[in-house]
Amino acid sequence: MVQLRLKKPHAVLFDITGTVAKTKFIDKLLIPYITANFHRYMRENWNSKQVRMDLEQMKTEAESDPMAPKIQLDPNESATTNMDSDIESAFEYVRYCLDTHNENKAITLLR
């Protein structure tokens, strides 16, 4: 048997919906956690490459759904002048996806 030596991770994240957790866990704990912490997480990680990539992916997904609220992002990635309105438009889309059970790549990445 091969033995691997890895550094201790800071976190382990994987898609748990219907795999290791019942849907009730998602509905009762995870979704309220996302909605309660979305704005703070986005503000704290605004300039991270991963958050910017996730936001761009969500924007693309929103544009392909005629019913979805559209995400407005300042093209200047490091801009903080429109950060609150950019975050709010992303939150409206996330809320829409959660309310309509719209599972897509962007929401999965965020979750």
Side-chain angles (χ1 to χ4, degrees):
M1 174 183 249
V2 177
Q3 198 173 36
L4 295 175
R5 292 185 184 260
L6 302 171
K7 290 182 180 179
K8 182 178 179 185
H10 295 287
V12 176
L13 180 66
F14 53 94
D15 187 11
I16 61 173
T17 307
T19 307
V20 295
K22 293 183 180 185
T23 308
K24 189 161 75 169
F25 170 80
I26 305 301
D27 294 339
K28 299 287 184 192
L29 295 173
L30 191 58
I31 290 174
Y33 179 83
I34 290 170
T35 57
N37 292 287
F38 182 84
H39 291 85
R40 181 176 53 85
Y41 175 80
M42 287 293 163
R43 280 188 200 96
E44 290 174 1
N45 297 283
W46 186 248
N47 290 318
S48 83
K49 184 178 177 181
Q50 187 61 51
V51 163
R52 298 307 294 188
M53 287 174 27
D54 290 348
L55 287 169
E56 287 297 333
Q57 181 69 40
M58 284 193 287
K59 182 178 181 191
T60 300
E61 298 277 351
E63 289 168 354
S64 69
D65 181 347
M67 301 299 288
K70 304 308 177 230
I71 297 175
Q72 306 300 319
L73 295 177
D74 190 319
N76 181 0
E77 288 187 7
S78 63
T80 57
T81 53
N82 296 322
M83 179 175 63
D84 287 336
S85 62
D86 290 353
I87 290 170
E88 189 57 36
S89 70
F91 181 71
E92 291 300 318
Y93 176 68
V94 169
R95 188 78 249 167
Y96 166 80
C97 289
L98 295 173
D99 289 346
T100 60
H101 302 286
N102 182 0
E103 291 290 327
N104 59 50
K105 183 178 179 183
I107 297 301
T108 301
L109 287 172
L110 177 66
R111 192 170 52 193

